[in-house]
Amino acid sequence: MSTTPTWKKNAPQLDDNDRRILRHLYSGLSDASIARHLGVGHRTIQRKVQRLMEHLQANGRVALGARAQELGLLDENTRGSAGR
């Protein structure tokens, strides 16, 4: 019988847009580029990245990407993630 690892059970629940932002951020895109990809304003992305840093307890963009990777939030197959 297979069980879900504890770290995955405790991973924060994020919506599809948050996951898209994290994937774009992890790939190295700037806030402005992410905004263009998602069709939203630059400030919207800045606010969402700030909120994600607080939510995932990361003290910077690089730390946010690393934390998202650590928690399995960048996985395309994770529940709640949709295609790009």
Side-chain angles (χ1 to χ4, degrees):
M1 173 164 46
S2 169
T3 60
T4 304
T6 303
W7 62 270
K8 282 224 178 197
K9 287 180 188 174
N10 296 332
Q13 295 300 313
L14 302 176
D15 65 22
D16 290 345
N17 285 330
D18 287 342
R19 290 176 187 279
R20 286 185 194 107
I21 290 168
L22 286 172
R23 284 193 296 269
H24 286 308
L25 185 79
Y26 189 76
S27 70
L29 294 181
S30 68
D31 291 343
S33 294
I34 295 170
R36 282 192 297 274
H37 277 277
L38 299 180
V40 298
H42 175 251
R43 284 288 297 143
T44 298
I45 296 301
Q46 286 180 329
R47 283 190 299 272
K48 286 186 178 247
V49 167
Q50 182 63 40
R51 184 182 53 78
L52 285 165
M53 284 192 296
E54 292 168 5
H55 189 65
L56 298 180
Q57 299 175 350
N59 60 3
R61 294 171 66 90
V62 172
L64 178 59
R67 183 78 172 131
Q69 177 68 26
E70 173 185 308
L71 293 171
L73 298 174
L74 302 176
D75 183 1
E76 292 283 340
N77 299 321
T78 305
R79 183 179 86 73
S81 66
R84 293 177 194 192

